[in-house]
Amino acid sequence: MATSGRSALLSSTATGSKSTLENSNPEEDDGQDLWSTILSEVSTHSRSKLPSGKNVLVMGEVGSGKTALVAKMQGVEEFMKGRGLEYLYFSVHDDDIDDHTRCNAWVLDGDLYHKGLQGVAVPVDSIGNTLLLITVDMSRPWNALDSLQKWAAVAREHIDKLRVAPETLRELEHRLVKQFQEYTEPGSGEDGTPQRRSDEEESVLLPLGDNTLTHNLGIPVVVVCTKCDAISTLEKEHDYRDEHLDLIQSHIRRFCLQYGASLVYTSVKEMKNLDILYKYLVHRLYGFPFHCPAQVVERDAVFIPSGWDNEKKIAILHENFQTVKADDSFEEVIVKPPVRKIVHEKEIQAEDDQVFLVKLQSLLAKQPAVTAGRPVDTTSRAPTGSPRTSNRSAAANVANAMPQSGQTSEGVLANFFNSLLTKKAGTGGPGTPGGGNNTPGTVRKSGSKLGLSDVQAELDRISSRETDSDLPNANDTPAADGQDT
């Protein structure tokens, strides 16, 4: 009996333990499923993988450099400008986990006709993953405030049309306020890490100022002033001074304070502050660490992160004002220069070569024929009796070849030559046609050179004659010939 009872006990114990093991297996399975679920959730929500679907919506006036700005951050030198809504992107890489993704960049056209395309870039389900970037053209600063207010109103209108749930919108607005209040300036350490705050300081958040985040869109806003290299041109051509630039900056910073926006001055031409802009965008969208402090010293490289600025810091700019006041209207001080009318010269179009040649041929046909070469003297000359008068005839031809405008010009010419001959001869005055020096003309042999007395006689004859004559007197020629014989 005892044996049988013990065996029964053992069998019952074995049966009980077996049933206990069978009952414990489902619990262990549930525990393993619980741990796998926790691990999978941690791996999903951890930063082991960069999130996708982040968007940057770029707005601004036509020609403000929106596409060029995004293309530079993308690393593209040559790009095509589109119309309506452009899609670009820039790469995001995390060196710690060796992962990369793409951040979508939607560039809205500067024409308000295309503002309805915002729904394609920012649908209602991606409003929490979107950052608004508004560009301001610094080469035309007189349009800065109007442009900022216009595009902020366009963004507000689009967000209102999305009909976001009130709870979601309040959560987005509260997140933006908390980010603004929790901003800490980077420390002065070598690694540039922000100064650590105590638990009490972290629990106490400073209240917002009077004009801070009065227009909360629920999404981060970054104002980018493009073409800041044109500031030197404004100083040269439009007589801008430091106080004008400070006034422009103060008004833009007040706008940024109302929307909780950041402010970055950039220049694609000089590659200025583009690296800071890229790092700040990645910081706001992906939570990357950012250690760059605010920069307000250089007038063309200003950087003011969201949460740093306030009214007292803006008032520092007003201390340098001399001819302008802080309360002056922006439009009264920053006046748009008058537009210079460009006078275009009338374009002259050249006609066809064949048409021109036909016209020229018709003009030449209408003109009388002209003999080429020098004009021929048709005056008849009487033949001389003696061949040895060639020298005298040459002198006469020289006189006849000169333009005869009257007796006055011949008299002036004769006096000129008389003065020269008087200086050459040195003695005696003008002689008669038969002499002029001690050596008579009859002594000269045939072929001898023309003497001074003969030239003097010819000049006397030119000055004494009253009418034009080509040849000397016929009575003088035989006398000369008779003397020579």
Side-chain angles (χ1 to χ4, degrees), residues 238-252:
H238 302 290
D239 196 21
Y240 275 46
R241 296 185 296 275
D242 290 341
E243 56 185 354
H244 294 94
L245 301 176
D246 291 341
L247 181 67
I248 295 171
Q249 184 187 143
S250 64
H251 280 275
I252 296 178

Side-chain angles (χ1 to χ4, degrees), residues 339-375:
V339 180
R340 298 178 182 177
K341 295 183 178 180
I342 302 176
V343 180
H344 296 281
E345 296 182 358
K346 187 177 180 180
E347 184 178 358
I348 301 175
Q349 296 182 354
E351 58 185 353
D352 187 67
D353 294 344
Q354 298 299 326
V355 176
F356 171 73
L357 293 176
V358 170
K359 291 182 180 180
L360 186 60
Q361 185 180 9
S362 61
L363 291 176
L364 292 176
K366 294 178 182 179
Q367 293 181 357
V370 179
T371 304
R374 296 176 61 183

Side-chain angles (χ1 to χ4, degrees), residues 164-205:
V164 184
E167 297 80 7
T168 305
L169 190 58
R170 281 196 298 268
E171 181 182 352
L172 293 175
E173 292 176 354
H174 177 70
R175 185 176 65 178
L176 201 63
V177 172
K178 185 178 180 181
Q179 184 273 332
F180 193 93
Q181 291 175 326
E182 291 180 348
Y183 172 80
T184 55
E185 198 165 351
S188 58
E190 295 181 358
D191 55 351
T193 57
Q195 297 175 354
R196 295 189 60 84
R197 302 170 61 184
S198 62
D199 296 338
E200 296 180 357
E201 291 177 347
E202 290 181 356
S203 61
V204 178
L205 297 177

Side-chain angles (χ1 to χ4, degrees), residues 133-191:
L133 191 150
I134 304 177
T135 58
V136 177
D137 188 359
M138 284 300 290
S139 64
R140 296 172 292 177
W142 43 86
N143 298 328
L145 277 188
D146 292 339
S147 177
L148 287 172
Q149 294 171 0
K150 178 177 74 173
W151 293 110
V154 169
R156 167 56 71 185
E157 180 183 359
H158 173 67
I159 293 174
D160 293 341
K161 288 182 178 180
L162 289 178
R163 296 181 180 179
V164 184
E167 297 80 7
T168 305
L169 190 58
R170 281 196 298 268
E171 181 182 352
L172 293 175
E173 292 176 354
H174 177 70
R175 185 176 65 178
L176 201 63
V177 172
K178 185 178 180 181
Q179 184 273 332
F180 193 93
Q181 291 175 326
E182 291 180 348
Y183 172 80
T184 55
E185 198 165 351
S188 58
E190 295 181 358
D191 55 351

